[in-house]
Each structure stands twice: as structure tokens, then as C-alpha cells.
Amino acid sequence: MNHSTVKPLSVHSLADMKQRGEKISCLTAYDASFSALIDHIGVDIMLVGDSLGMTIQGHGTTLPVTITDMVYHTRCVSHARQRAYVIADLPFMSYSTPVIAAKNAAKLMQLGGAQMVKLEGTRPDIVSFLVEQGVPVCGHLGLLPQHINQLGRYAVQGKNRIDAEKMIADALRLEQSGAALLVLECVPASLGKEISLQLGIPVIGIGAGVDCDGQVLVLQDMLNIGTGKRPRFSKDFMQHAVSIEAAISAYHEAVKQSLFPTLDHSF
Ligand code: KIV
């Protein structure tokens, strides 16, 4: 890609991709060197996920990650970015009220250079408050890693019809509150499809089946350099690749052509 002519993606570019049925590729990124590589390959979104608590900091969960950590890594990623859209996670307890959420979203955007912030769960009050202040928001439903101490384990969510209906209603409420994007984690593929069809905003799946509007994976999982067990919904793209660049390109192409995830990586 010739960076002198690169047009940066905006929230509207992502909405347009959904409208024309083009799949959206997304990977987590936490530093400038991977940011430059992922951006160069043409991946559409870089998510500075609080998964960095595990992948970078070596914790067992995302809970110890602070807003200071998130600002630091978001700044590293956004400095090296040319085209990809940069989303940063609001970490655990950094959005317990609308005002606290706005203060921390401002840090991610003003100091970190994020273009959108992501928050877990159904908090339409916070989403609408942030949107009123000019902050684009990505919701996150399904498996919520920040709730691991309530959940007890990382498991597929929305498996029965009552839970699935609640998730659909929650997704619609987030969209009505002004969310511009939704991440859907670890749900049956049929539910991923249903939510993607019902929502006008793009739905980015991780373990949510091939019919979502886009896909996201944790970088270390798909390069098979994670410290823990790779989740079933992820895939080792290094297995048949000659380089890290080739592995990331293979992932990007597989998402664009709806070749990933397969049934082996779905629930
Ligand atoms: O923190 C993260 O990397 C995420 C993805 C798992 C979607 O939220």
C-alpha cells in the first residue's frame, strides 16, 4: 500500500462497508510496530483491547488494566496508524457512571488518539451520554471478560432462547442509544447472524460465526504466540505462513472472503 495516497477510514467507512456487504477485518494491536504492519496489510480496524492485560502484561484476566495503561498502548498504536480505524477499550471500572466514562473516553481520544471507545455490557445511559459529547462508541455483548468473576468461566453465551432474546434486545438498545459498532463475543453462530441482520450498525464477531459483518481476533492468538491456551474460536494463521506479515494477510483475506471463521471455529 502506498501510504502517501492512503485515505484514513472513518466511522462512516465502516457503516458503508456493512451497507455494501463488504466484511470488516479487525485485529487487536498494542504497539507501534504491529500497528504499522497491520495497517500496511490493510486490516480495517485495530482494537487496542484490554486483552493486553493478558497478552502484554501477563495477567490472568483483563481486570488489572488501568486507563493509564490503555492510554499508553493506544498512543503507541495510533502514532503508527495511517488507514485503519483505531478503537480503544475502556477498562474495568473506568465507566461506572456517565461522567467517569466521559472523563476516561476523553483520555483515550485526546492523549491516546483513539477514534472510538468500546465498553462492555448494556449501559445505554453511558452510551448516549458519550455520544452526546461527540464520542463514537462500540458496544460489546456476549461473553464479557470484565465480568469474569461473576461468570466464573469463559463460556459461550446466549445458548438458550431466553438469553438469546435478551441479547438481541440489548443489542437493539445499544444501537438506539447511539452505538456505532458492536462486538459480539462467544455466542452461537445462529445468534451472531440474527443480531447482525437485525442491527443497522456493523457487528464484529469473535467466536460469533461467519455471518457477522466483520471479525476480530486477538493478535497473539492468531499468531500462536499467546501465553495461555488458544480459544477454540481462534485460529493459528502462522501454521501455513512463511512470516508474520503473511499470517496477518491470510487472516485479512479469509475475513474478507468469508472463509474465516469456519464451523470448526464457531459454536
Ligand atoms: O480486549 C479485547 O481484545 C477484546 C476482544 C476480545 C474483542 O475486547
Side-chain angles (χ1 to χ4, degrees), residues 124-138 174 177-180:
D125 55 328
I126 292 183
V127 173
S128 57
F129 189 75
L130 291 177
V131 171
E132 274 167 30
Q133 320 297 315
V135 178
V137 178
C138 176
L174 288 175
S177 309

Side-chain angles (χ1 to χ4, degrees), residues 197-253:
L197 285 174
Q198 290 220 22
L199 263 56
I201 58 173
V203 176
I204 311 296
I206 173 161
V210 72
D211 293 309
C212 294
D213 304 304
Q215 301 292 331
V216 54
L217 282 182
V218 170
L219 178 69
Q220 278 73 2
D221 289 343
M222 56 81 69
L223 294 179
N224 203 14
I225 52 170
T227 49
K229 186 171 171 280
R230 194 176 65 248
R232 180 185 141 188
F233 58 72
S234 193
K235 178 179 169 180
D236 175 7
F237 279 88
M238 273 307 279
Q239 200 179 8
H240 302 293
V242 294
S243 65
I244 288 174
E245 181 167 1
I248 296 173
S249 295
Y251 164 73
H252 172 65
E253 287 307 322

Side-chain angles (χ1 to χ4, degrees), residues 28 42 70-71 75 106 112 120 134 183 213 230 253 261 263:
T28 65
M70 290 307 302
V71 168
R75 191 168 51 226
E120 294 185 10
V183 163
D213 304 304
R230 194 176 65 248
E253 287 307 322
L263 289 180

Side-chain angles (χ1 to χ4, degrees), residues 28 30 47 49-51 89 118 120 140 183 185 206 216 218:
T28 65
Y30 317 102
L47 170 65
D50 60 357
S51 51
D89 266 341
K118 176 165 82 59
E120 294 185 10
H140 182 152
V183 163
E185 179 165 357
I206 173 161
V216 54
V218 170

